[in-house]
Amino acid sequence: MSNWDVLVMCLRNMFKRKLRTFLTVLGVMVGTAAIVLMISLGLATEAHHQRQMEDAENDMTLIDVHMTWPEGTTWDQMGNPIFPEGTPLLNDAMVDRITSLQGVHFASPRMSGTVFLRADPYYMESWNVVGIRAEAMPFMGLPIAEGRVLQEGDTFAVVFGATAEHAFELLGSTWETRADRQWGWQWQGQEIPTFVDVMNTNMRLSFDRRFVAATDGEQMELTGGIRPIPSYNIEVVGLLAPHEQWGADRQIFMDIEVLLYLQNERLRAEREVQDDWQWLISPIRERPQELFNHVMVRATDVSQTSRVAREIEELGFHTSYAGQWLNMMLEGQRQQQQLLAAIGAISLIIAAIGIANTMIMAVYERTREIGIMKVIGAAIKDIRRLFLLESAMIGFFGGLFGVGLSLIGSYVMNNFDVPFLQGTPMPEWMGVTEVIDPSLVTPWLCGVALLFAAVIGLVSGYFPARRATKLSALAAIRSE
């Protein structure tokens, strides 16, 4: 028989038993739609995850590295930690080692400190000063509204966050006045006047609180014991644009070497271990070896972030990065989608059993017809093709209608309020507040689903077709 004859006979047999064919096709349709919709939920999550990583690439390549505190850690009388022997230390040598790792763009220690600023008649007590390596700041991805970021060679230079200048207060102001102003700005989001134009005002900095002590009504001279309170002229080289997700708006950035110097000078002053003449020396002196609580690492690109973080953890430190949390969220959603896809696969397996049942019943019902075909000379392969084509067409049409049903279902999920499948807002700290569509049906998914349904039908019809070819012609004719 020609291919056309086989196709015509196949369609005639399918339409002869319309109800049975319809129910079998319906089973395949439901199973296909279930699998497509379940996979579409995972595809939507992955697509938005990928876009999120691309939109926030600067955030995704930054890794925060911090020390572990193993059991047995003690402290000396000065409050410095004493770690057990063999504990990996986050010091200058380790920072250089991390910098040498493949896929690391830069690594910079990061520390916080407190300084006191005066721009008469105003002052600021800033406990949110961040020290970093100046050469690393251009790669941090912080937006500049005016001026520039820190550069290698800067000493007493600082970069103000977008709203850090609001912390300036009038010298001699009362605690109640300052509290009302800070409350309105920091916790109620009120607009408050800016006292100091930091980019165009001369100001000085000190590590000693007595530098601004007159603000509490103490009215003391700016001298401390046998020497004046040290202070330094600073240059504000840049002002950041708003960048709230970094927490950088209220911070002041300066070179970590300068901040360490100021911190060491404060400690020397508190312990009174300086010689009487040392206050005259203004250049930055060599600092001792330091241990850092945090190191900021920038990977060369997003694809390297997780590997770099893993290698740093192997050195004995903890790491955290934005993509880590997204990956955890994605992994949880993938597991959920795998469960749902398994449920859809069960539906399709049941549909395959239905196809096999339908074709077996067709073999039993058409035994005489098969016998006659053999007697008049029909080839075994033609009979096999007839049954395989019929089962494959049931699978194909079921898959085709199933894909259509899944497209309708995806549209409903994306455009109507389905309580348990509403779009998920991305976390605000990631900088994206849009609501994502829960379902994404792609052309390749439709094609794979259609092909899979046809293959399921073909496989389901193999044994019934094989049984049909094994029937004896004479026995088949005598069966009715």
Side-chain angles (χ1 to χ4, degrees), residues 267-281:
L267 293 174
R268 288 191 183 98
E270 290 177 353
R271 298 167 187 171
E272 296 184 350
V273 296
Q274 296 186 90
D275 294 333
D276 292 345
W277 53 268
Q278 281 187 325
W279 62 275
L280 295 172
I281 303 177

Side-chain angles (χ1 to χ4, degrees), residues 229-246:
I229 296 174
S231 64
Y232 311 89
N233 287 321
I234 64 169
E235 178 186 7
V236 181
V237 296
L239 180 65
L240 297 179
H243 197 57
E244 187 64 33
Q245 59 267 32
W246 267 96

Side-chain angles (χ1 to χ4, degrees), residues 1-6 9 373 377-379 381-383 385-386:
M1 290 190 295
S2 67
N3 292 332
W4 177 255
D5 291 333
V6 173
M9 187 176 295
M373 290 174 61
K381 66 177 182 179
D382 290 331
I383 298 173
R385 276 196 303 163
L386 176 64

